[in-house]
Amino acid sequence: MLGDLSGVSKIFVITGRTDMRKSFDGLMAIVRDSYDLDPYSNALFLFCGRDCRKIKALHFDKDGFVLMQKRLDGSGRFQWPRNASEARQLTRQEFRWLMEGLSIDQPKAIKAGSRKKDF
């Protein structure tokens, strides 16, 4: 099904800036040549341009590539990591935070306890 990401095993964010004029072949080349990752793997690759209003997602869906794009309206901006040019693997929670406009580097609200207590 087009756009169904429930079966995706890994999510990668390509940090830094990507030329958003690139399409299927250009984004595949970035994944393969710059980061030595397999664009045909069961992974979702996320790219963002300079102004952080648009992201593109590339995914191989069994018989072909799917290229999705999301553009925020108004003054909204994605909290895109710009610290280095790398392929960073995200958890599903970090992916949800990113899509909701939050930073993927959220501080922990609740810290894990040091030992289990019986009541």
Side-chain angles (χ1 to χ4, degrees):
M1 177 176 165
L2 184 64
D4 179 18
L5 302 175
S6 61
V8 170
S9 63
K10 294 180 181 178
I11 302 171
F12 290 97
V13 60
I14 306 301
T15 63
R17 293 179 174 91
T18 301
D19 181 353
M20 296 304 279
R21 295 174 293 180
K22 293 187 183 297
S23 189
F24 294 94
D25 295 334
L27 297 175
M28 285 171 53
I30 290 172
V31 168
R32 183 188 61 236
D33 300 338
S34 298
Y35 301 103
D36 200 27
L37 295 170
D38 181 10
Y40 291 91
S41 65
N42 187 21
L44 180 71
F45 300 95
L46 303 171
F47 306 87
C48 186
R50 182 176 12 154
D51 68 357
C52 296
R53 289 188 57 227
K54 293 181 274 194
I55 61 169
K56 284 188 177 181
L58 181 69
H59 173 62
F60 184 74
D61 189 15
K62 296 181 183 132
D63 59 357
F65 280 92
V66 177
L67 183 61
M68 296 170 274
Q69 181 171 333
K70 182 173 182 174
R71 183 186 72 193
L72 297 176
D73 288 334
S75 62
R77 298 283 186 267
F78 288 104
Q79 300 280 328
W80 200 260
R82 300 282 192 199
N83 53 355
S85 185
E86 63 181 357
R88 178 175 169 184
Q89 189 170 345
L90 299 181
T91 64
R92 294 229 178 237
Q93 180 63 54
E94 290 169 332
F95 177 68
R96 281 191 294 275
W97 286 334
L98 183 64
M99 293 297 107
E100 292 170 359
L102 301 171
S103 171
I104 59 174
D105 296 316
Q106 292 290 317
K108 298 289 182 193
I110 299 173
K111 295 182 181 177
S114 59
R115 63 178 195 205
K116 189 174 181 181
K117 296 180 182 180
D118 292 329
F119 292 100

